Amino acid sequence: MQRHLATRAPEPVIAPEATGELVDLLCAVPDPLDDLPVTHAAGLLLLTQVSAAADADAVPKATVALELLAPVAVRA
């Protein structure tokens, strides 16, 4: 995600490896919504994917990203 933000190149965040890392991150904890650092990182990565890709999956991905980021905003 840092490389995407620095270069604005979409490849680092829309590559299949990035999605795999997102899934691995969410599966690494019993309940991602109870782990704010995981929830925050996953939500930001997904939102970054949405902004970089602008494809047919953008709306569902944006919805999931907002659902992941909502607990972070509530607890902040």
Side-chain angles (χ1 to χ4, degrees):
M1 195 163 67
Q2 294 296 336
R3 193 167 32 143
H4 165 71
L5 294 173
T7 65
R8 292 294 180 201
E11 293 80 17
V13 292
I14 61 172
E17 298 84 31
T19 301
E21 290 174 9
L22 175 64
V23 171
D24 290 346
L25 177 63
L26 292 171
C27 291
V29 294
D31 186 353
L33 295 179
D34 284 338
D35 190 316
L36 289 185
V38 168
T39 303
H40 187 239
L44 286 179
L45 176 57
L46 201 50
L47 202 55
T48 304
Q49 286 180 335
V50 168
S51 70
D55 58 15
D57 293 333
V59 172
K61 284 182 179 179
T63 302
V64 172
L66 293 175
E67 288 175 2
L68 288 168
L69 291 170
V72 176
V74 170
R75 295 183 196 175

